[in-house]
Amino acid sequence: MIAAGLLIFAIAQVVIYTRGYAFHSPIAAVVLAAIGLAAVLLQRRLRQDAPSQVRVPQWLNLIGIVCAMCALFADRLGLGTNLYQVTALIAVGCFGISSFLVLEGIRKSRIAPK
């Protein structure tokens, strides 16, 4: 319960301290997707009944982190706006797919007979 409250607090901080036009930026989507992935991974870690055989696709998370860093430092890297948006989209996609795979693994292990 405390972890869920902290994650809601993190999302609230992002929403409160950014202006409305900032949410049209791909970086805001990357930040919110990363917070969502952190929520899924934290839920998996803190739940006592969570199955241990559910694997987190670390290579997918690594790709997402690299793409998020490229999108974050697009100006310094000299990336164009199209490439900047594509890297942000890839990061959000990687975080989303990783979250889906973890949640699907948890769901399947609950359905399977013990």
Side-chain angles (χ1 to χ4, degrees):
M1 191 60 109
I2 293 172
L6 290 174
L7 289 168
I8 289 172
F9 178 74
I11 291 175
Q13 295 301 311
V14 170
V15 172
I16 289 171
Y17 291 110
T18 55
R19 293 184 170 86
Y21 64 85
F23 287 103
H24 297 288
S25 167
I27 295 296
V30 169
V31 168
L32 291 176
I35 291 172
L37 176 64
V40 168
L41 295 177
L42 193 61
Q43 176 186 14
R44 182 183 171 270
R45 168 93 45 186
L46 295 178
R47 292 184 65 158
Q48 284 79 18
D49 63 340
S52 60
Q53 67 267 21
V54 175
R55 308 285 272 161
V56 179
Q58 293 180 357
W59 63 272
L60 194 58
N61 291 338
L62 184 64
I63 292 171
I65 290 170
V66 168
C67 288
M69 296 303 286
C70 287
L72 186 62
F73 297 112
D75 290 338
R76 296 209 187 251
L77 296 173
L79 300 178
T81 54
N82 290 337
L83 189 56
Y84 155 72
Q85 291 177 350
V86 168
T87 57
L89 180 65
I90 291 171
V92 169
C94 287
F95 293 148
I97 292 169
S98 178
S99 297
F100 174 77
L101 291 174
V102 170
L103 291 174
E104 185 70 15
I106 291 172
R107 185 189 68 80
K108 282 184 179 179
S109 68
R110 282 188 177 174
I111 293 173
K114 294 183 178 181

